[in-house]
Amino acid sequence: MHRKRKVLLALATAALTITSITAAPAVAAPPTDSDRDFGNGPERNVVAAADPVAARRAAPVGENEVRTHQGYPRRTDLRTYPVDPTDTSTRLGLTPYHAIAPRLNALQDRSDRVSVEVVGHSGLGRDLYLVTLTAPERPAETRQQDAWRELIENDPVRAARDRRLERDYKAPVWINNNIHGNEWEGTDAALRQIEYLATTNDQRTTNLLRHSRIYFDITANPDGRVAGTRVNANGFDLNRDFVTNSQPESVAMRTEIIDTQPVLTLDEHGYVDGTLIEPTTPPHGQNYDFDLYIRHGYANGLGMEAAVKALGYPEAQDVVVPFRDWPPGEWDGWPPIFTAQYAMYHGAVSYTIEIPLQVNNDAYDTLPVEELRRRAAINTDVSEATMRTTLSYLGAHREELVDNQIEIFRRGAAGEPQRYIPDGFVPGFGPEDRFTTTFPRAYVVPAGATQRSAVAAARLVDHLVAHDVRVRQATRPFTLGGRAYPAGSYVVDMHQPKRGLANAMLEAGKDLSNDAPQMYDIAGWSHRLLWGASVDVVRNGQVRVPSFDVVAAAPTGGVEAAPDRDLALRVVDGKDASAVNDLLGRGLALRRLADGTVVVPAADRQAAREVADRYGVRFTAAPRGAQGSPLHRVTVAAAVAADELFALREMGFDVRPVSTATLNAGFDLSGVDVLVVSSGLRYDQLRPAAKARVDAVFARGGVVTRGATGSRFNADARLLPVTAVPGREDANGVVTVDNAAAAVLAGATPTSFVYSPQWFTDLGAGVRVEQRFGPGNPLVAGHWLPNADGSGGSNAAAGQAAVVSGASATGARVLMFGTEPLFRAHPKGLYAQVAAGIYWGATR
C-alpha cells in the first residue's frame, strides 16, 4: 500500500532541539493487530458474553476519608484493598491495583504538592483515583483559579484581556492511563512521575508546579487491570464510549476532562512496534478548529518522538507519527469516541500514545516472566518520557496553550466560521487533511405533538448538558427557522464555546467513503438520528427565544387517562420497555395489542404512575374493549456480544447468557421464552440433547437474530426461508431505512445504524419485510465501500430488506436484523426494535 510521506522540517520545543531532517525516517508499516481493533474486534460475532465474575469484586478495607477539600493539597485517606495474588500486573513486575492506594497515601503524607481524590467507581466497585500535582494553594487562591477557568469558557473575550489570568492561571494538563486494562504500563509511569514531581527540588519543576496543575488518572480501568482484559467488567472498550458514556468509568473520565479543562492531554496505551505518537492520519474530525490544534499537536508530538528515541532502546527507535507516516484512514482522528479526540472538543491539544513492546494477550501467556518484565520496564520508560516531554512543552508554551484554548471557545461563542488552513501550515499538511463543516445556527428539540418521544428528548437533553453543551428551554411559544414551537421546547444555540462537540453529537455526519480506503473504527454516530428524539436543524437566523439554561430536562412521565380506563403504552423507546418490564416484574397481567402497544389494567394505575415517574414514559387511554395477547414476564436466553447483553439488561429484561458451550453443558432452557442470537452460538454444533432443548424454545416462543452469526443460526436451524447477503465487513454508519410495511417494528425511526451490514433476499412464503434500506445510497454518515469484486457496497444494499420477520415451520416467531440496533449501547432510539421483537416472540 502506498504510504503517505510528510517532509519533516526543524521544529523546536522547550524540552529539546529537534535536528533538521530532510526526509521522513523509516517507520513501521500500519498495524494489522494494534491497540485499536476494528469495531469490537472479530470476537463480537464469535464470543458470546457471560456474566461478570462476581469473585473479582474485592472488598476494600475501611472507607475513603477526605481530610481537606478546600485549596490544595486536597488529601484523602484512601481505603485499601486486600492483596490480590491474581492481579495480572504482578507477573509483569508492575504495580498491582491493591498497592496503589497505600503508595498514594504515603505520598500525600510526604508532600504538600500531592492531592488525591476518588472521582468514581468501576463496574465492580473499585475506586477511581485522580491525583493532582501543583504548588500549595490557599482556599482563596483555589477559588481564583476556578473563576479563571470558568472565565476562559464562559467569557473568552474578557479572559483574553485579563493580564492577571495570563500571568497567574495554572494551566491544566490531564494524563490518562490504563483505559485498556491489559495495557498496564502508563499507570506505573504516572506513579513514577507523581513521585518525582512531589519530591524533587529541581527549580524548573517547582516553577512548573507554581504555574500549572498536572492531573493523573492513575488507572481508568482497574477491573481490566486486575483481570488482564482490554475491556471493563461489563465487556466494554472504554476508549469507544466517550460520546455514549454507558459505563461508570467513562462517565468519571468525562467529568475529569470537563472539570479540569486541560490544555494538554495524554492517553497512554500499548502496543505498536516502535511506539506511536499522534497526531492522527486524516480524516480529522470536521468540527474542530484544527488550526488551533495541529501546530502545537505536531510540535510536541515530534518532541515526544525525540525523547523516546533518546532513551536509546533499539525497540523504540522506529517511532510512528501517523500524521506524518501513514495514509488516510490507518489511524484517523474522526470519531470523538476516543479519549484524545473527545478531549479536543474541550479545548485540549490531545494525544494517544502507544508504547512499543507487546506484553498482553498471547505474549502474556507465552513469554518468560523475565522477558515480560524487561519489556514492561522499557514500556514504562517510554510512557514516562512522553509525560516528561509534554510537561516540558507546557513549561515553555503555557501562555500560548492557554491562549489557544481561549481562542477555541471564543470562536465558538462568536459563531465564527472555521479558518482555512493552507497547505504546509505545518510540514506535510495538505488537501487530504482539510475537513471542515458549516455550523447550523441552532438545533431545536421540540415539545408537544411533533416530538416523537418525550422521554428520548429528555434523555438527549440531559446527555448534552452532561457533556457541557449548553441547552436552553423556552418559557413561551416561539418561531425559529420558519417553524413554530411550543413553550417547553429545547434550543441548542450553536453560538457557544463548545460548539464543536455540540455539532459532533447533533449533526448527521459525513459519508467518508471517498475520503479514505478504510477507517480505523466507526465513522457515524449521530445522536440526533439514533437516539430516538425529534430534532430540527435551524440553518440561519437570529436566536431570540425567551428561555432559561437547562440543568436537567423537565420530567416527562405521566398518566393521561380517566381513572376507569385501561392504560396504553406504545413501546417506541428503550425506556418504554424498561417500564413494561418493571410492571411485568411486579406480576401484573398486561396485554399486547397487534400493533405492539402494551395495555395496563385500570386497576394497576398506581403502579403505572410509579413507573411513569421512574422512567419518564407516558401512558394514554387504551382503546375501549382492547383485548390483545397476555404478556408475562419474559425470560431471554441470549448468545450475544457484551454490549448487547448490557443493553438488554438496561431495558430490564431477565437475560440468561448462553453459548454453544453452555448449551452443550446442559443449560436449562425450560423457562426461556425468547432466544436472542448474535454471537457464540452455532446450531450445527449443538449436541442432540441441547438441540432438542433449543427446538423446544422454537415450539413455544420466539427468536431474534442479528448479524452473520444470527443469520447462520437461522439457516442451520431452518427457521425462516431467506438468504443473508453480507455487506463489506468494516462498513459502518448511519443509514436511512423504510418502515412502510412494518408490523413488529411499527413506529420505528427512519434511520438506523449498521456495522458489517447484511440484507435478506430470496424471501420465502410468510416472510415479511419489516424494514428496508433506503433507496439510492442509504448511507447518511459513515464509511461503506464495496468489496474488491464490487459486492457488498451501499448501493447494492439500497432498497433491500434490512429486517425481516416470520413464523418458522415449528411455530417460532423470528425477527432477523441486518442492522445493529444495540451497538455498544449507543443507538438508544433503536433499542425498542429489539424489545418489540422479544415481546412479539413471547406472545401468542
Side-chain angles (χ1 to χ4, degrees):
M1 182 182 293
H2 172 70
R3 182 178 297 156
K4 172 180 167 182
R5 293 287 187 180
K6 301 196 176 197
V7 177
L8 268 175
L9 298 179
L11 286 176
T13 70
L16 27 94
T17 301
I18 301 171
T19 311
S20 180
I21 303 173
T22 56
V27 294
T32 56
D33 181 19
S34 68
D35 171 64
R36 292 185 183 172
D37 298 318
F38 282 113
N40 282 350
E43 74 279 2
R44 176 174 167 75
N45 295 325
V46 177
V47 181
D51 282 313
V53 181
R56 287 286 185 189
R57 190 186 297 271
V61 178
E63 296 293 331
N64 296 308
E65 182 179 346
V66 179
R67 285 191 276 166
T68 58
H69 62 276
Q70 295 182 333
Y72 280 90
R74 297 179 174 183
R75 293 179 173 172
T76 304
D77 287 332
L78 301 172
R79 60 186 181 177
T80 58
Y81 289 76
V83 172
D84 184 353
T86 70
D87 191 310
T88 56
S89 56
T90 305
R91 177 175 168 84
L92 302 171
L94 299 172
T95 306
Y97 177 78
H98 61 258
I100 295 174
R103 189 166 174 180
L104 294 177
N105 281 337
L107 277 170
Q108 289 182 97
D109 290 337
R110 288 175 59 193
S111 173
D112 62 1
R113 305 172 193 169
V114 181
S115 300
V116 183
E117 298 167 270
V118 174
V119 292
H121 299 92
S122 70
L124 292 180
R126 291 185 172 93
D127 292 337
L128 301 173
Y129 306 122
L130 180 67
V131 179
T132 307
L133 273 295
T134 195
E137 299 170 14
R138 295 187 298 273
E141 292 173 320
T142 297
R143 288 193 294 272
Q144 180 62 72
Q145 291 293 325
D146 293 345
W148 278 331
R149 185 180 65 249
E150 292 174 7
L151 185 69
I152 287 170
E153 180 182 352
N154 297 333
D155 193 347
V157 172
R158 191 153 66 92
R161 296 196 299 259
D162 191 320
R163 293 296 167 247
R164 275 193 66 209
L165 183 155
E166 182 179 53
R167 184 184 68 244
D168 296 333
Y169 179 58
K170 288 186 169 184
V173 177
W174 184 68
I175 300 175
N176 197 45
N177 304 285
N178 203 200
I179 190 171
H180 291 148
N182 63 353
E183 297 164 13
W184 297 267
E185 293 91 340
T187 293
D188 288 78
L191 289 169
R192 284 201 329 213
Q193 264 297 289
I194 290 166
E195 185 160 3
Y196 172 77
L197 295 169
T199 59
T200 184
N201 293 319
D202 174 73
Q203 186 174 352
R204 285 180 300 179
T205 301
T206 55
N207 185 59
L208 175 71
L209 294 177
R210 283 196 297 271
H211 292 89
S212 63
R213 286 189 190 156
I214 304 163
Y215 300 95
F216 294 88
D217 187 320
I218 300 298
T219 169
N221 182 4
D223 297 340
R225 182 178 187 82
V226 172
T229 60
R230 177 185 178 92
V231 297
N232 74 343
N234 289 323
F236 276 71
D237 185 331
L238 299 173
N239 203 36
R240 305 293 187 274
D241 195 43
F242 270 91
V243 292
T244 306
N245 284 145
S246 66
Q247 301 302 298
E249 299 93 342
S250 63
V251 170
M253 286 182 279
R254 177 194 71 195
T255 301
E256 291 171 34
I257 292 170
I258 292 171
D259 288 352
T260 64
Q261 201 168 292
V263 297
L264 284 167
T265 290
L266 298 181
D267 193 31
E268 299 285 340
H269 287 257
Y271 304 92
V272 170
D273 289 346
T275 303
L276 180 147
I277 299 169
E278 289 181 346
T280 70
T281 72
H284 311 294
Q286 66 183 6
N287 290 289
Y288 298 124
D289 286 289
F290 201 67
D291 60 310
L292 297 176
Y293 163 74
I294 192 59
R295 191 180 294 280
H296 288 290
Y298 196 32
N300 187 45
L302 295 179
M304 287 188 279
E305 176 188 35
V308 168
K309 288 185 174 183
L311 294 172
Y313 295 118
E315 301 94 334
Q317 294 303 306
D318 296 333
V319 178
V320 174
V321 179
F323 175 79
R324 178 190 69 202
D325 299 323
W326 283 349
E330 289 290 346
W331 194 276
D332 65 86
W334 181 258
I337 59 175
F338 309 125
T339 312
Q341 282 60 50
Y342 176 77
M344 286 169 65
Y345 283 121
H346 294 280
V349 175
S350 302
Y351 303 87
T352 299
I353 307 297
E354 299 281 345
I355 52 184
L357 297 175
Q358 185 174 11
V359 295
N360 62 3
N361 301 334
D362 289 342
Y364 186 93
D365 296 327
T366 60
L367 291 178
V369 170
E370 294 78 7
E371 173 60 13
L372 287 173
R373 293 187 175 188
R374 185 190 75 85
R375 293 185 175 196
I378 292 173
N379 287 336
T380 303
D381 288 348
V382 169
S383 179
E384 189 180 14
T386 66
M387 298 177 189
R388 285 198 311 268
T389 306
T390 295
L391 296 181
S392 294
Y393 191 87
L394 173 69
H397 299 276
R398 183 186 68 86
E399 291 182 11
E400 298 166 50
L401 289 164
V402 172
D403 288 345
N404 206 64
Q405 186 178 81
I406 291 171
E407 178 64 6
I408 290 172
F409 296 154
R410 188 200 66 78
R411 290 183 192 177
E416 293 184 3
Q418 293 160 304
R419 302 292 195 266
Y420 175 82
I421 306 177
D423 292 355
F425 182 76
V426 297
F429 187 95
E432 72 277 15
D433 294 301
R434 198 171 288 119
F435 287 85
T436 59
T437 192
T438 300
F439 294 104
R441 186 60 186 83
Y443 292 95
V444 179
V445 183
T450 61
Q451 179 51 253
R452 176 183 177 274
S453 169
V455 66
R459 177 180 56 228
L460 177 60
V461 167
D462 284 338
H463 193 70
L464 292 169
V465 171
H467 284 267
D468 205 25
V469 172
R470 299 172 184 211
V471 184
R472 297 182 66 83
Q473 188 170 24
T475 56
R476 297 200 299 269
F478 64 97
T479 299
L480 196 59
R483 297 189 186 98
Y485 296 98
S489 297
Y490 299 98
V491 179
V492 181
D493 187 338
M494 288 299 291
H495 287 190
Q496 61 172 289
K498 296 181 180 178
R499 63 159 179 197
L501 181 57
N503 208 49
M505 289 184 165
L506 293 173
E507 70 174 348
K510 186 178 190 290
D511 181 349
L512 294 164
S513 304
N514 294 324
D515 292 296
Q518 73 284 311
M519 295 290 286
Y520 196 86
D521 203 272
I522 64 166
W525 58 85
S526 174
H527 296 66
R528 174 167 63 90
L529 299 181
L530 295 178
W531 275 44
S534 304
V535 183
D536 295 335
V537 184
V538 180
R539 293 295 173 190
N540 47 51
Q542 296 298 313
V543 179
R544 298 191 181 96
V545 178
S547 58
F548 60 89
D549 287 329
V550 174
V551 176
T556 57
V559 175
E560 300 174 346
D564 63 335
R565 295 289 297 274
D566 287 350
L567 306 175
L569 180 63
R570 293 181 62 236
V571 182
V572 297
D573 190 84
K575 290 292 186 182
D576 299 320
S578 296
V580 170
N581 288 330
D582 190 325
L583 293 173
L584 291 172
R586 302 177 187 211
L588 303 189
L590 309 186
R591 305 189 303 277
R592 180 184 178 276
L593 304 183
D595 66 357
T597 299
V598 173
V599 177
V600 180
D604 295 314
R605 184 184 185 91
Q606 180 56 37
R609 282 190 181 279
E610 292 172 6
V611 300
D613 290 342
R614 178 174 300 171
Y615 302 106
V617 302
R618 191 168 295 275
F619 291 88
T620 59
R624 291 191 182 276
Q627 296 300 314
S629 303
L631 183 63
H632 57 81
R633 177 71 167 161
V634 183
T635 299
V636 177
V640 295
D643 53 346
E644 294 169 310
L645 176 62
F646 182 88
L648 289 168
R649 286 177 168 167
E650 189 177 18
M651 289 187 281
F653 284 105
D654 177 13
V655 186
R656 318 287 172 83
V658 297
S659 64
T660 305
T662 59
L663 292 179
N664 281 334
F667 188 90
D668 183 8
L669 295 173
S670 60
V672 169
D673 304 292
V674 175
L675 181 63
V676 181
V677 182
S678 68
S679 182
L681 180 54
R682 289 273 300 271
Y683 185 83
D684 63 318
Q685 293 179 358
L686 293 176
R687 295 173 184 151
K691 193 171 290 186
R693 292 193 297 274
V694 170
D695 290 345
V697 176
F698 297 162
R700 67 174 180 270
V703 179
V704 177
T705 74
R706 190 273 304 162
T709 297
S711 292
R712 173 159 189 169
F713 182 87
N714 173 79
D716 290 344
R718 298 184 180 182
L719 297 174
L720 294 189
V722 301
T723 298
V725 179
R728 178 165 151 153
E729 187 177 13
D730 66 345
N732 71 87
V734 182
V735 294
T736 59
V737 291
D738 179 359
N739 305 302
V744 179
L745 300 191
T749 58
T751 49
S752 191
F753 183 82
V754 296
Y755 196 105
S756 297
Q758 292 196 321
W759 54 91
F760 304 103
T761 62
D762 304 323
L763 308 183
V767 176
R768 183 186 194 105
V769 177
E770 295 283 344
Q771 190 175 87
R772 293 186 182 276
F773 287 114
N777 177 8
L779 186 67
V780 175
H783 191 273
W784 190 348
L785 289 172
N787 295 310
D789 63 2
S791 67
S794 59
N795 290 334
Q800 298 288 349
V803 184
V804 296
S805 66
S808 71
T810 57
R813 290 185 167 187
V814 182
L815 183 67
M816 300 181 66
F817 286 94
T819 57
E820 282 272 7
L822 304 180
F823 186 79
R824 296 180 184 166
H826 179 71
K828 307 294 187 186
L830 311 185
Y831 277 26
Q833 297 179 22
V834 177
I838 291 173
Y839 294 141
W840 173 69
T843 55
R844 286 290 185 269

